[in-house]
Structure formats: structure tokens, C-alpha cells
Amino acid sequence: TVLLSLQNGVDNEERLEAIAGPGHVMGGIAYVFSTIEAPGVITHTHGGKIAFGELDGTETERGRRLLGAFTGAGIPAELSTQIRRLLWEKYLFITSMAGLTALTRCPVGVIRSRPETRRLFVTLLEELAQVAKAAGIALSAGAVGGAVAAADALPPGAYSSLHYDLTHGRRLEIDTLQGYAVQVASPITVPDVVGQPQRTASATITGANLAVGAVTTRTSATTPAGAVVSQNPVAGALAAPSSAVSLVI
């Protein structure tokens, strides 16, 4: 079974892996401007393409089968070996543009044509690129310029879905977009719990303001029964607050 999230944000895959376990999740992106007009009613205003791929950057048979399913259904799709980079590059764009359309209540055309808001848009992109770097993501050299070019190519009257939800009194995805950037900008060093009993390891992880993710078992000749054999992320890695640490016992 493969789980593929096309939701905005860059931590959906981590959350899914914490539930389903490693190896069941692929990364995915929907390049589309749309809004939920009513339950079951989606208004599609611009774009329409999917990019997806394995989180470890490999190209697999299941990825090729999924690509065939998309193309067979007439859905433009790309199987990528750089899905984490693509996730973050979309994140740069949508977090900056969604935030500005919601803050100013103005469409893309106004934001990009006014020197002040255009400069603010570029500044936000640059700051988020630094957040990506802190998270260990190697963006393409032209990531910021590409996001600016993408904004310039949009219809001038385009708004973000965040703007739509804000102006219609609906739940906002601030925690997924701007909120996640704040978390990553203040990362936590993952503690070393290898060798600890499971109960102790869990307490160590939650005490560090992290969450215990998927727990699987494996026979080990060197680790006592009931103790942690390995962890993901590894000790010393930087992680966002409340993110999951998976354990092998």
C-alpha cells in the first residue's frame, strides 16, 4: 500500500510515516489554484499538474505504476527523483504568496506590480530559502527567481486559497505554512535513545518536545530485548518541534 499526500506543506509525509511506518509513503505535490466553494464542490482557477516520487530519491516500480495510472486517467503528472526539493520549492512560493494575498487582501497582480509588496514577496522567499537550508534541503540555484517568475506568470486577479478561506471565515492552514517555518527556524536536536528501554526512550523523546512515531520490532544480537535498536531521525539531527522520531525495538 502506498500513501501519497498532495496537501500543501512539507511535513505531511513525516506525519503519515509516523502512522503507517517507513516505506509506505511517497511525496507529492499538486500545482493547482483552486478553492472549496462548498462541500464536494471545487473551483479550479489555474494550473493542474502533479509531481510525486520516493522520499529517498529512487525511481521504483510502484512509482512507475502510479505514473501510468495518472497519465492513463488524463492527469498531467511527473515522477521525480527530487521530490523533497520540489516540495520545498513549492512551499517557498505558496507560503510567501498565500501569506501576502491574505495579509494585504490583494490579488497577485497588485502584489507583483507594487514595488513595496514585490520586494516583500522576494524577501519572504529568501528567508524561507534559508529555512530550507537549515532543514538540510538543497534547493535549486534559481529557486527564488523561479518563484518570482511563477508569480509573474499568474493571472493578475489570482488569489490564494488561504485568502479565500480567510475572507470566508473558514479554517486556515497557517500552522502548515507559516507556522511550520517558525518551527523549523527553531529546531530541536534529536536525542540519542539507541540502547534505551522503550519506555525510557519514549520519555526522552517526548521530554525533548518531540513525538514518538512508528515503533517496529527487529531481532538484534547486540541490543537487549525491549531496547531501541535504531531511530529515525538519528541522534544529533535537527527536527521541528513535535515532529516524530520512529523507533526500531
Side-chain angles (χ1 to χ4, degrees), residues 32-85:
V32 61
F33 271 64
S34 61
T35 54
I36 301 174
E37 292 287 348
V41 180
I42 306 297
T43 298
H44 175 198
T45 58
H46 185 72
K49 176 186 175 182
I50 290 172
F52 68 99
E54 299 286 358
L55 297 174
D56 63 3
T58 60
E59 183 175 315
T60 60
E61 178 58 30
R62 70 179 185 180
R64 289 187 286 269
R65 290 199 306 270
L66 188 53
L67 177 63
F70 281 132
T71 55
I75 300 172
E78 171 193 353
L79 176 58
S80 173
T81 58
Q82 299 288 327
I83 194 62
R84 288 192 184 276
R85 175 178 63 79

Side-chain angles (χ1 to χ4, degrees), residues 193 195-201 215 217-218 220 223-229 247-249:
V193 297
Q196 294 183 5
Q198 182 178 349
R199 184 186 296 271
T200 303
V215 178
T217 58
R218 186 181 82 200
S220 172
T223 304
V228 177
V229 177
L247 303 175
V248 176
I249 305 299

